[in-house]
Amino acid sequence: MSGTIAVLGAGSWGTALALALARNGRDVRLWGHSPEHTAQLAADRENRKHLPGTRFPNTLIPEADLHQAVAAAADILIVVPSHGFRDLLERLAPILKPSQRLAWATKGLDARSGQLLHEVADELVGPNRPLAVLSGPSFAKEVAQGLPTAVTIAATDDSFGKDFARAFHSESFRVYTSRDITGVELGGAVKNVLAVAAGVSDGLGFGANARAGLITRGLAEMMRLSQALKADPQTIMGLSGVGDLILTCTDDQSRNRRFGLALGQGNSIDEAVANIGQTVEAVRTAREVYKLAQRISLDMPICEQVYYLVTGEVDAETAVRNLMARAQKAEF
Ligand SMILES: NC(=O)C1=CN([C@@H]2O[C@H](COP(=O)(O)OP(=O)(O)OC[C@H]3O[C@@H](n4cnc5c(N)ncnc54)[C@H](OP(=O)(O)O)[C@@H]3O)[C@@H](O)[C@H]2O)C=CC1
Ligand SMILES: O=C(CO)COP(=O)(O)O
């Protein structure tokens, strides 16, 4: 990754990652789907909507035209919400050059097919294109502020993984590499669903014991799913699994946790989403994880109750009662 990198998606995370790359000496084109928003980024040299107070280096250029952003780039990094991932790849498929490698930092599953995002990428712009995913415990605001952060990049191709890691790696942004794309993607998707459960529990005032119990039994669900999908269990014990699970379940910067908190405090789903005003991935991911677990007959009781919550089939207290009423069993 020595040439320009096109970051596609100009929300909080796309902007923070574009800043990390530009500060690390890379030329970056930051594309956003709203021309008004991209014009504001170009005029202010700052993303006032998502990350106020952080000036863009000269090497970070906002770009309203997708074709131009892609044409200028050696490699591509997608950072749109998961519901826009497939559509964006369909737009990219006819314009990507064979030499351009593709990475993403989106967390979630494909809302149309329930597939992992690397399966969608492989289908639409593969099969031989090097692919990579960046994930781990990393709030956009802290990355934009240059606070110490560690993440994982999993790639289909070792040289892409190393190049991509080098493009980001700095004294404040530490990058570990992996080959387990499935494990890294699963951790990033499922932790958002579990963060809703932790938020609900805290919103109901259930205390520290309940939160720790939910995180630990949630980790067991993540582990079970990763084993069923032939991911490496070690990945779940790493940054993109337990690392991001702890971050998102315990800190109120997390939008998924705040969504759960709001439900636990008696707000409706629509009120909670509107008040947060940004992407809350778990609203969709809870459905996809539930369907996936059903399809492969896997027991994921916490994710199941979050699914019933986001579909309005139970309220917060009933979801917790349902979990506590389960039959006694061995821990492992
Ligand atoms: N924020 C964070 O700390 C982190 C986020 N992530 C992940 O990054 C992904 C993006 O989240 P984040 O940047 O935080 O979300 P934000 O809500 O901050 O921003 C999302 C951006 O994407 C735009 N957008 C919405 N739909 C589409 C689409 N179909 N095509 C292109 N752009 C679109 C939105 O535009 P508009 O406002 O017009 O809708 C907005 O600019 C998510 O999967 C999230 O889980 C991962 C790690 C950290
Ligand atoms: O993924 C994240 C941090 O790693 C951000 O979490 P939220 O989407 O819940 O804010």
Side-chain angles (χ1 to χ4, degrees):
M1 263 197 174
S2 52
T4 299
I5 298 170
V7 176
L8 309 181
S12 328
W13 194 218
T15 305
L17 289 176
L19 280 165
L21 288 166
R23 287 173 183 154
N24 223 17
R26 304 294 160 144
D27 288 319
V28 180
R29 299 293 165 99
L30 176 60
W31 171 83
H33 75 154
S34 152
E36 296 77 26
H37 179 50
T38 317
Q40 179 268 305
L41 300 181
D44 296 343
R45 306 289 308 151
E46 178 184 338
N47 187 338
R48 287 196 200 280
K49 180 174 174 192
H50 299 102
L51 292 171
T54 314
R55 299 281 300 167
F56 292 172
N58 291 338
T59 47
L60 198 174
I61 300 174
E63 176 60 75
D65 185 308
L66 180 64
H67 286 240
Q68 284 193 21
V70 170
D75 293 306
I76 312 291
L77 171 61
I78 296 180
V79 203
V80 299
S82 62
H83 66 83
F85 189 81
R86 177 183 281 274
D87 286 350
L88 181 57
L89 278 182
E90 282 171 352
R91 291 177 67 186
L92 287 179
I95 58 174
L96 276 187
K97 297 172 214 149
S99 62
Q100 285 173 318
R101 301 172 295 182
L102 182 81
W104 56 94
T106 303
K107 292 176 181 169
L109 301 174
D110 177 36
R112 214 180 302 166
S113 63
Q115 286 169 299
L116 292 165
L117 300 184
H118 80 267
E119 296 171 319
V120 181
D122 212 35
E123 179 188 309
L124 296 178
V125 298
N128 297 318
R129 188 182 303 279
L131 303 174
V133 58
L134 181 157
S135 194
S138 45
F139 287 129
K141 191 171 158 211
E142 294 188 9
V143 170
Q145 289 171 338
L147 296 175
T149 301
V151 299
T152 302
I153 285 175
T156 53
D157 171 287
D158 283 344
S159 90
F160 184 36
K162 281 188 195 144
D163 283 357
F164 191 32
R166 211 174 301 123
F168 277 105
H169 195 82
S170 72
E171 281 179 6
S172 58
F173 200 79
R174 190 167 171 75
V175 182
Y176 291 83
T177 54
S178 161
R179 293 216 67 171
D180 184 14
I181 293 209
T182 297
V184 168
E185 286 187 326
L186 277 180
V190 175
K191 66 89 188 173
N192 281 335
V193 182
L194 298 169
V196 174
V200 167
S201 175
D202 285 341
L204 288 165
F206 283 173
N209 297 350
R211 188 190 316 120
L214 277 169
I215 292 172
T216 313
R217 295 309 301 163
L219 182 63
E221 292 186 20
M222 206 188 255
M223 187 68 87
R224 222 175 285 142
L225 182 60
S226 77
Q227 280 168 340
L229 298 189
K230 308 273 185 290
D232 183 347
Q234 279 207 77
T235 306
I236 299 302
M237 297 315 290
L239 291 164
S240 58
V242 70
D244 212 357
L245 180 66
I246 293 170
L247 180 89
T248 320
C249 287
T250 61
D251 194 282
D252 287 351
Q253 285 177 79
S254 162
R255 296 151 311 178
N256 289 287
R257 174 181 157 79
R258 289 210 305 275
F259 172 71
L261 273 173
L263 297 188
Q265 288 161 349
N267 295 278
S268 71
I269 293 168
D270 289 346
E271 280 167 349
V273 169
N275 284 338
I276 291 164
Q278 282 190 5
T279 306
V280 183
E281 284 285 12
V283 176
R284 284 188 175 81
T285 309
R287 295 165 205 255
E288 298 312 323
V289 169
Y290 172 78
K291 285 194 260 173
L292 174 58
Q294 292 285 304
R295 203 161 59 236
I296 58 177
S297 303
L298 202 70
D299 194 26
M300 297 185 73
I302 302 173
C303 289
E304 185 177 28
Q305 290 304 320
V306 175
Y307 163 75
Y308 291 141
L309 256 178
V310 301
T311 50
E313 288 171 58
V314 297
D315 61 18
E317 286 194 39
T318 311
V320 176
R321 257 202 317 276
N322 289 346
L323 281 175
M324 294 308 281
R326 282 164 50 82
Q328 189 271 326
K329 61 184 277 241
E331 185 175 11
F332 298 111

